[in-house]
Amino acid sequence: MPHLMLHLHSLLVQEQRRLVLWAPMGLALGAVLYFGLLRTEPALLVGFVLPCGVAVLASIAAWGMRYSLWGRLLWGGCITVALGFAAAWGGTHRHPPMPDLPRFATEISGTVQAIAHLPSENGTDAPFERRVELAQAVFYNALDDGMPPLRRVLSIYLQPNDLTVLRVGDQLHVKALLQPPPFLALPGTRDKQFEAWFANQAGSGRAVGYVQLEATAQMAWGHNKPQLWFETLRERMNARIHAVLPGPEGGVAATVLVGASETVEKQVREDFAASGLAHLLAVAGLHLGIVMGLVMAAGRLLLATTEYTALRWPCKALAALCAWGVGLVYVLLTGAHLPAQRSLLMAAVAVLGIAAGRRVVSMRGLAVAACVLVLCMPQVVMGVAFQMSMAAVMALVAGYEVLQPWLMRWRASTTGAGHWLAWHGAVLALTSVLAGCATLPVAMAHFGVIQPFFVVANMVAVPLMAVWIMPFGLLALALMPLHMDAPFLWLMGAGIRPVIGLAHMVAHWPAARVAVPHMPGWGLLAVMLGLCWVCLWRQYWRWAGCASLVLGMASPWLVAQPDVVISPDGGLVGVRDAGKIHVMGQSRAQRPVMQAWSQYFAQPVEMFPPQGETPDGALVCGAEDAPDTCVALLRGQDVVVRRQDASDGRALLPAALCVGVDVVISVAPLRASCPNVPIRLDRFSAWENGAEAVFLRKSGNVVRTDRTWRGQRPWVLKPGGHGMPVLPLAPSE
């Protein structure tokens, strides 16, 4: 043991300049501890004051032990984890509580904050359906009379035949049926309530009448915020792009130029996702890098054309600053989404490096950007955008750190156009492999898929995006005020068309999209820790992180999966048998719930007939004595499912069905049915606990519910989807 510790100390001494790169990981672990492991919300003293105190005391201890490597590691880890926990608590409580939305059609008035045009699912010839984001919304009903305006935003889907002309900043009045953010389809799946909490969303709804304008926007700089100006500009540019480029090309062009990703057709989006090109439809580092690279090259060339500026001015630094300014405008124009903000922050670090004459792309720059993001927006550590972008950039930097000497020798030895093309093709393939392999486990965890042909698709699509689509798109944006943008938009569409065809072709190759079961949280954590271990260290012990990577990627097959699942409203029951999920019952959210179950289990989901039987006889429905009931024999245990209740809900299950049964589930209230059954689940239990999953085991059956999985946190709505009541304002004196 002493020899092992001495050897470990020797390795850490050699890597001591890389220890600071682990600061973002400590901050992220603190945020994960707050978001993922707690089941009750800590108070101010425990959630913020205590971690800050721990960070201060750890800083004092680290200063006192500054000459001890182990002391710096211990107390440095305590500092970062405590700061990450405190930042997560503070970021959560900066947002207002979720309001309690009306459960009936309600008259609403509010200010249009954004307008999105959604392509109809019936085809491209159908009119677009609009979605408006309403801020400062007020409800007009007896219960909410005199309420203050909502501090969160409502998303209202307008009727397709509503032709009312709307602009950002307009005051409108509409009657809509609202619903809160949905509950989890299954414990462990995507948490849309968590996303809505940090996106400042209150819920969504559909208009049941036409919109009435109460007041139009005054688009003067002294009256409205710049955000409204940018939203209006985005809306006009989006309309212009679709006028010149109708069809799928216009949707992709509007996505990369103004961030209108909702206009991309469903089939095109699915093809891009299946072929590994989904990142082209998310404005992030690739698009910002192309924009800034083009602007920097043009700016530096322009400054170099004059002898005075070329000899006396820092042309490279000035061009970089100009490129970052254009990048800032581009990020605002595309909606300032989180991946774009992360990329802009990293670009700022690179520009500062250029201005200071330091190395531009480095692990330290990535660490600084990650630390700032986690401290300012700690919720990003739970999102797929942050995880994928950080994993890709980290793998690229680490990969080129190792391969750069070999690549430089090869480039110096190449002569001729053929060797030049081969070198660039190899670099492009290497970039796709590094980024794709690093993000593959993250895609497994969040989307449940593996895309083995992503390298082939990216080797063709990314160069087209860099040298054809984005340059002509930027020229079109620059000339749009002069109404000279149409030729460049046509050329941009000519480049988008083969990319769409490529995505469609690759998506239909055999095994282009391999489904994998749900990855548990500890598996994703093991993947990220292993990836950081491989990328952040430089000595031979870095390869020990491969064990953590393999363990994390194998985790979907190492954990037990539930045998029976119940939807959040209790209307759907799924039984896993013979490689399929047999679904019984009815629900308003039937389609999204079944899609979530299919992704979770990586198995097909199908509705089971009222009278049917599986080939192995494990599931039988529609027996003569109980026509609305199904009986399943799973893992040697009997499960009874009442799939519907044609009576008034007071009918009891036959007593004969309850004899020797281990689990009974009903889409209607069970009431006094089967009182001696160990596990009884019905619509009431689903209303109180959310989605439920039953694990059948010989040692004892286990029921996992949404309420026990997430606990009582600020973003978790109360039973029935209720939030904080919106109390009326006090009467004025």
Side-chain angles (χ1 to χ4, degrees):
M1 183 62 70
H3 296 286
L4 178 62
M5 296 300 295
L6 186 62
H7 182 64
L8 183 60
H9 185 275
S10 175
L11 289 174
L12 288 173
V13 169
Q14 298 178 50
E15 301 270 16
Q16 60 180 339
R17 294 182 61 85
R18 311 278 289 187
L19 295 178
V20 69
L21 302 179
W22 287 89
M25 179 56 71
L27 295 173
L29 286 176
V32 170
L33 176 63
Y34 171 81
F35 290 126
L37 298 183
L38 297 183
R39 294 296 176 261
T40 57
E41 185 63 20
L44 173 64
L45 179 62
V46 178
F48 188 80
V49 177
L50 183 60
C52 290
V54 170
V56 172
L57 295 177
S59 301
I60 298 174
W63 175 256
M65 301 179 64
R66 60 187 180 276
Y67 298 113
S68 171
L69 179 61
W70 299 111
R72 282 182 290 165
L73 282 176
L74 173 63
W75 298 115
C78 292
I79 293 170
T80 54
V81 172
L83 288 179
F85 189 95
W89 189 94
T92 299
H93 290 271
R94 282 199 304 264
H95 294 271
M98 281 286 187
D100 192 14
L101 301 180
R103 294 298 190 268
F104 46 85
T106 305
E107 301 283 345
I108 308 170
S109 67
T111 303
V112 178
Q113 183 172 285
I115 303 175
H117 297 271
L118 309 175
S120 174
E121 296 183 359
N122 299 327
T124 57
D125 297 333
F128 280 77
E129 185 181 55
R130 290 181 295 176
R131 184 188 67 217
V132 297
E133 305 288 336
L134 287 185
Q136 303 292 313
V138 176
F139 306 143
Y140 294 96
N141 55 61
L143 296 178
D144 298 301
D145 185 28
M147 64 169 282
L150 286 184
R151 299 165 62 187
R152 289 180 171 269
V153 178
L154 283 173
S155 297
I156 306 297
Y157 292 84
L158 305 184
Q159 293 188 355
N161 56 352
D162 190 346
L163 303 179
T164 307
V165 179
L166 295 176
R167 291 183 174 86
V168 176
D170 289 347
Q171 298 282 338
L172 61 79
H173 188 99
V174 65
K175 188 174 184 179
L177 186 62
L178 303 177
Q179 60 181 1
F183 285 90
L184 273 65
L186 188 66
T189 55
R190 181 181 176 184
D191 192 348
K192 293 186 177 181
Q193 293 180 357
F194 179 86
E195 297 173 1
W197 177 272
F198 289 99
N200 206 39
Q201 292 282 335
S204 61
R206 285 196 171 270
V208 296
Y210 291 159
V211 169
Q212 299 178 3
L213 276 179
E214 293 184 339
T216 58
Q218 300 292 331
M219 298 309 300
W221 275 98
H223 182 76
N224 280 29
K225 297 179 180 180
Q227 178 186 0
L228 298 181
W229 188 87
F230 271 104
E231 290 292 342
T232 302
L233 184 62
R234 291 179 61 202
E235 180 187 353
R236 293 177 179 176
M237 288 183 170
N238 186 23
R240 174 61 180 171
I241 292 171
H242 280 283
V244 179
L245 288 177
E249 294 87 357
V252 177
T255 298
V256 300
L257 293 182
V258 295
S261 59
E262 65 277 352
T263 61
V264 180
E265 297 178 8
K266 180 180 179 181
Q267 185 59 48
V268 174
R269 188 182 300 277
E270 291 178 352
D271 289 342
F272 272 66
S275 60
L277 297 178
H279 62 96
L280 297 183
L281 300 179
V283 177
L286 174 64
H287 305 79
L288 184 63
I290 294 173
V291 170
M292 291 184 60
L294 293 172
V295 173
M296 184 174 177
R300 194 173 183 185
L301 180 62
L302 183 63
L303 291 172
T305 55
T306 305
E307 181 180 357
Y308 181 85
T309 58
L311 296 178
R312 291 172 175 82
W313 290 7
C315 298
K316 185 177 181 180
L318 290 176
L321 289 173
C322 180
W324 190 85
V326 175
L328 174 61
V329 175
Y330 177 72
V331 169
L332 294 175
L333 190 61
T334 53
H337 301 295
L338 179 61
Q341 294 180 28
R342 187 270 311 162
S343 303
L344 186 66
L345 180 60
M346 293 189 62
V349 176
V351 169
L352 290 176
I354 292 175
R358 301 293 298 273
R359 186 179 177 185
V360 177
V361 181
S362 66
M363 283 293 185
R364 289 180 179 268
L366 178 64
V368 171
C371 287
V372 173
L373 272 178
V374 175
L375 288 175
C376 296
M377 295 177 289
Q379 71 275 9
V380 299
V381 302
M382 307 297 290
V384 59
F386 177 82
Q387 295 170 10
M388 294 191 74
S389 60
M390 287 299 169
V393 176
M394 185 167 54
L396 289 174
V397 174
Y400 280 104
E401 279 181 352
V402 175
L403 300 175
Q404 185 178 12
W406 180 78
L407 291 174
M408 290 299 100
R409 286 195 302 268
W410 183 26
R411 185 178 184 181
S413 63
T414 56
T415 57
H419 290 285
W420 183 84
L421 289 175
W423 186 86
H424 280 279
V427 170
L428 181 60
L430 178 62
T431 301
S432 298
V433 169
L434 288 174
C437 292
T439 57
L440 185 144
V442 184
M444 286 177 56
H446 291 276
F447 306 118
V449 293
I450 296 177
Q451 298 145 337
F453 304 119
F454 64 90
V455 176
V456 178
N458 279 275
M459 286 187 65
V460 178
V462 172
L464 272 175
M465 180 67 70
V467 303
W468 185 276
I469 297 174
M470 288 301 295
F472 284 120
L474 291 178
L475 288 174
L477 288 182
L479 297 176
M480 198 170 288
L482 303 177
H483 302 283
M484 299 171 59
D485 56 313
F488 299 100
L489 286 177
W490 290 334
L491 290 172
M492 184 183 183
I496 293 175
R497 203 168 294 115
V499 174
I500 295 177
L502 172 70
H504 182 76
M505 179 183 67
V506 175
H508 288 78
W509 285 356
R513 190 182 178 95
V514 181
V516 296
H518 171 72
M519 179 183 291
W522 63 264
L524 180 58
L525 182 61
V527 164
M528 298 305 295
L529 286 174
L531 186 63
C532 290
W533 193 272
V534 172
C535 294
L536 297 185
W537 298 131
R538 284 186 171 178
Q539 303 300 319
Y540 68 89
W541 67 332
R542 68 191 308 174
W543 304 115
C546 294
S548 181
L549 279 170
V550 172
L551 176 63
M553 295 185 66
S555 61
W557 295 274
L558 300 178
V559 295
Q561 292 185 340
D563 299 284
V564 183
V565 290
I566 300 98
S567 65
D569 61 355
L572 292 178
V573 179
V575 177
R576 185 168 63 92
D577 178 61
K580 291 184 179 180
I581 311 300
H582 304 287
V583 180
M584 297 156 282
Q586 295 179 348
S587 173
R588 290 185 300 176
Q590 180 171 316
R591 183 178 177 183
V593 168
M594 291 178 64
Q595 288 178 346
W597 288 356
S598 177
Q599 178 179 323
Y600 185 93
F601 293 101
Q603 293 177 351
V605 177
E606 60 181 26
M607 297 297 299
F608 201 72
Q611 294 182 353
E613 181 178 351
T614 56
D616 58 357
L619 177 62
V620 180
C621 293
E624 295 182 0
D625 53 345
D628 297 333
T629 305
C630 301
V631 179
L633 180 61
L634 305 173
R635 299 182 182 273
Q637 302 194 45
D638 292 325
V639 179
V640 173
V641 179
R642 181 163 64 179
R643 58 184 305 156
Q644 62 182 355
D645 186 6
S647 65
D648 59 356
R650 298 181 181 275
L652 302 180
L653 286 172
L657 284 177
C658 303
V659 178
V661 173
D662 300 284
V663 180
V664 59
I665 302 171
S666 174
V667 298
L670 278 173
R671 303 187 187 278
S673 298
C674 305
N676 297 322
V677 175
I679 296 180
R680 303 168 69 252
L681 304 174
D682 60 0
R683 187 176 293 272
F684 283 160
S685 65
W687 179 87
E688 182 179 1
N689 299 318
E692 298 164 317
V694 181
F695 297 81
L696 300 177
R697 300 170 180 172
K698 293 182 179 179
S699 58
N701 299 330
V702 177
V703 178
R704 180 185 297 168
T705 68
D706 178 16
R707 191 67 56 181
T708 59
W709 180 260
R710 294 191 295 167
Q712 298 179 353
R713 308 305 301 276
W715 53 84
V716 179
L717 294 177
K718 299 176 182 178
H722 293 279
M724 184 72 69
V726 183
L727 300 178
L729 295 171
S732 57
E733 300 246 344

